[in-house]
Amino acid sequence: LLDVGSNELTSTIPPSFAKLESLKYLVLESNRFNGTVDVLESMKNLTVLLTRSNSFSGSLPDGLFSGTSDNIVVDIGDNKFTGELPTSFAKRSNLVSLIGARNSFADNATQ
């Protein structure tokens, strides 16, 4: 568990986070983080990701949560994410909660 929520931290996610391959719970919510979350793709055991209320941007990596069969909980609401949600998310039967409100995801429901 790494919980740095509600600390008014500013910056991008440090590249060194890529070394936290066995981390299961990551709480970054209610800070002032920005940039992409690409570095999180290397966290193959991640099951809980809470990034609500930051300024993260870009697309979510398609390989996010690819290494776990545990239940997955995601709250990425109130950021600046763009693009489409990864197609891999729809294939995950272990994704039990996904909150993505207040972002700029593309609407691919009609495609």
Side-chain angles (χ1 to χ4, degrees), residues 40-44 60-67 86 88-89 92:
L40 302 182
E41 190 167 16
S42 64
M43 297 179 179
K44 299 299 182 190
L60 295 172
D62 196 46
L64 199 59
F65 308 110
S66 63
S88 62
F89 277 31
R92 300 210 184 285

Side-chain angles (χ1 to χ4, degrees), residues 26-39:
L26 180 59
V27 181
L28 304 174
E29 64 189 2
S30 299
N31 282 293
R32 295 181 185 153
F33 285 112
N34 59 66
T36 69
V37 295
D38 294 341
V39 70

Side-chain angles (χ1 to χ4, degrees), residues 30-94:
S30 299
N31 282 293
R32 295 181 185 153
F33 285 112
N34 59 66
T36 69
V37 295
D38 294 341
V39 70
L40 302 182
E41 190 167 16
S42 64
M43 297 179 179
K44 299 299 182 190
N45 292 311
L46 198 62
T47 59
V48 174
L49 176 63
L50 308 177
T51 67
R52 172 175 290 284
S53 299
N54 280 286
S55 292
F56 288 117
S57 59
S59 298
L60 295 172
D62 196 46
L64 199 59
F65 308 110
S66 63
T68 186
S69 59
D70 294 342
N71 287 340
I72 298 170
V73 175
V74 183
D75 185 349
I76 53 174
D78 198 17
N79 279 282
K80 298 177 181 177
F81 289 114
T82 57
E84 296 179 358
L85 286 173
T87 55
S88 62
F89 277 31
K91 298 174 185 173
R92 300 210 184 285
S93 60
N94 56 334

